[in-house]
Structure formats: C-alpha cells, structure tokens
C-alpha cells in the first residue's frame, strides 16, 4: 500500500468525478467520498442527478483528487450498491463527514456507488515534468 496515496485519500474531503453522458459528452461533478484500504471510493447520489444517469448507462469513470503538490488520478469501474453494502457505504460516509450529513445520506432516495480503480497514478510534486508513481 502506498502510504502517501492513502494519506491523501483520507485527508481530502472531495474529489472530481468524470463521467460521460448518454450522448458521449463529458460531465464532471465534485463529490464527497469515503475510501477503503484497497483504494476503492464510496459515494452517494440521487437518481435525478446526471451522474446517476451517466453511470447507469456507462459504469466507467475517472476521479481526480488534488492536494497541494500532489494529485491522484484514477480510472475505473463504478457499481451501484445494494443491501448491506449500501449500509456499509452510508456508515463510512457518516464516519468521515459526521452527523451533519446523516439526513442527506439517510434519504430514502439516496443511491450509493463504489468506484473500483483499474489505473492509478500519483503525481508526487509540482515540478515539470512531474514526478509520478503508478500505484496499480
């Protein structure tokens, strides 16, 4: 496990999620997330948001997390969670963001997703060209 990568995942509160619309147009959204030790990200949305529709049509997505001097870039697959996996994701998000988000996360319309990266690159500095490390 890359400790710097995990530290950035843990400290950052939002990431940028890139999806493609049904007609192929790129769309991005800033989302809150929780991560596990295998670099998988969990997030919540609602069926009327465009990211939901995009991910139901095309489950491939990209995520970028930026911190001063560091950037994490990931491509991967997204799957909608069901049952106990939704509860696990909900609790991970409440643990990260606190009970302020609880009403939002407990909405009956809330939908939870898991992003599983298939490609990860960590940009380690703000130099040009940047120093980077491939994680997976």
């Amino acid at each position: 496990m890359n400790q710097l990568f995990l530290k950035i995942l843990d400290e950052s509160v939002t990431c940028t999620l890139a999806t493609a619309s049904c007609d192929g147009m790129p769309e991005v959204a800033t989302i809150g997330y929780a991560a596990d030790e295998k670099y998988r990200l969990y997030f919540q949305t609602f069926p009327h948001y465009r990211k939901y529709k995009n991910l139901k049509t095309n489950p491939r997505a990209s995520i970028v997390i930026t911190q001063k001097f560091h950037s994490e870039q990931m491509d991967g697959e997204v799957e909608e969670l069901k049952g106990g996996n939704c509860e696990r994701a909900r609790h991970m998000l409440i643990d990260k963001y606190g009970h302020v988000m609880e009403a939002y996360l407990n909405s009956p319309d809330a939908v939870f997703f898991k992003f599983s990266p298939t490609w990860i690159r960590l940009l380690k500095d703000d130099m040009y060209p940047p120093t980077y490390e491939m994680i997976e």
Side-chain angles (χ1 to χ4, degrees):
M1 300 286 163
N2 183 293
Q3 294 306 312
L4 175 59
F5 194 89
L6 289 172
K7 181 178 183 286
I8 294 167
L9 277 179
D10 185 52
E11 290 176 355
S12 298
V13 294
T14 61
C15 67
T16 302
L17 172 71
T19 62
S21 70
C22 297
D23 60 358
M25 294 299 296
E27 295 179 348
V28 297
T30 300
I31 60 169
Y33 69 91
D36 67 18
E37 67 284 345
K38 294 184 179 179
Y39 312 130
R40 294 177 298 214
L41 277 62
Y42 300 84
F43 62 95
Q44 180 267 345
T45 191
F46 292 100
H48 61 276
Y49 288 179
R50 53 187 201 165
K51 68 178 148 292
Y52 176 84
K53 294 171 186 157
N54 294 348
L55 292 171
K56 293 302 285 182
T57 302
N58 178 357
R60 293 178 299 193
S62 295
I63 288 180
V64 174
I65 302 171
T66 302
Q67 238 184 29
K68 188 174 185 177
F69 305 121
H70 305 292
S71 180
E72 298 178 349
Q73 302 169 331
M74 297 181 274
D75 296 336
E77 299 283 329
V78 178
E79 72 177 275
E80 185 175 345
L81 299 174
K82 304 287 184 195
N85 291 325
C86 284
E87 288 308 305
R88 179 175 179 254
R90 181 187 329 272
H91 289 292
M92 289 174 69
L93 289 159
I94 290 170
D95 287 348
K96 182 168 184 172
Y97 294 98
H99 293 283
V100 172
M101 295 284 293
E102 201 164 358
Y104 181 77
L105 295 168
N106 286 329
S107 168
D109 295 332
V111 180
F112 293 85
F113 283 94
K114 174 177 72 175
F115 172 84
S116 299
T118 56
W119 179 90
I120 302 174
R121 180 168 64 181
L122 170 64
L123 299 177
K124 298 166 82 172
D125 55 45
D126 64 344
M127 307 302 289
Y128 187 82
T131 304
Y132 67 89
E133 178 180 343
M134 300 307 294
I135 305 295
E136 288 193 347

